């Protein structure tokens, strides 16, 4: 599956995780416009770049991914946020969806699952 011309901002506090997501997603044709290491940076970079999809971690220093997702989706009603997290607790999933996330995946999921989720979010699914 290709993500040709799809633009992204990646938000995760671990540089190695962002690098892995960047390599995966650019390898299938997406274009990463910026990377954020905190919720505050994700909010700022989203507003600056207005990507098709924001890939968001939940656990970050300062503003967490749930609050960042809430603020971004409130300010930009057409945004698609895909949460990639290591937290599988139902409460976390529901909080992310309630905050406006279009989808929620675990980081230990397969590469194809991540690509499919980003593609689906980009078309409003």
């Amino acid at each position: 599956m290709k993500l040709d011309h799809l633009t992204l901002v990646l938000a995760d506090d671990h540089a190695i995780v962002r690098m892995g997501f960047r390599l995966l997603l650019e390898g299938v044709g997406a274009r990463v416009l910026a990377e954020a290491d905190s919720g505050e940076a994700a909010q700022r970079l989203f507003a600056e770049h207005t990507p098709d999809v924001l890939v968001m971690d939940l656990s970050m220093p300062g503003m967490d991914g749930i609050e960042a997702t809430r603020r971004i989706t409130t300010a930009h009603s057409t945004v698609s946020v895909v949460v990639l997290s290591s937290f599988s607790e139902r409460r976390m999933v529901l909080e992310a969806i309630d905050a406006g996330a279009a989808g929620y995946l675990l980081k230990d999921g397969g590469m194809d699952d991540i690509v499919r989720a980003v593609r689906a979010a980009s078309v409003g699914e």
Side-chain angles (χ1 to χ4, degrees), residues 32-83:
V32 176
L33 302 175
E35 296 181 16
D37 62 359
S38 69
E40 292 88 356
Q43 188 177 7
R44 179 177 43 78
L45 290 170
F46 180 85
E48 182 179 326
H49 295 282
T50 59
D52 298 314
V53 177
L54 174 60
V55 178
M56 178 77 76
D57 184 23
L58 292 186
S59 179
M60 292 186 286
M63 183 191 314
D64 68 18
I66 290 173
E67 183 59 26
T69 297
R70 182 175 291 109
R71 291 182 185 193
I72 291 166
T73 59
T74 298
H76 306 275
S77 62
T78 61
V79 63
S80 291
V81 177
V82 173
V83 171

Side-chain angles (χ1 to χ4, degrees), residues 10 17-27 30-35:
L10 305 177
V17 172
R18 290 192 314 270
M19 182 177 69
F21 288 145
R22 176 184 281 270
L23 290 172
L24 166 67
L25 296 166
E26 287 182 342
R31 190 168 57 129
V32 176
L33 302 175
E35 296 181 16

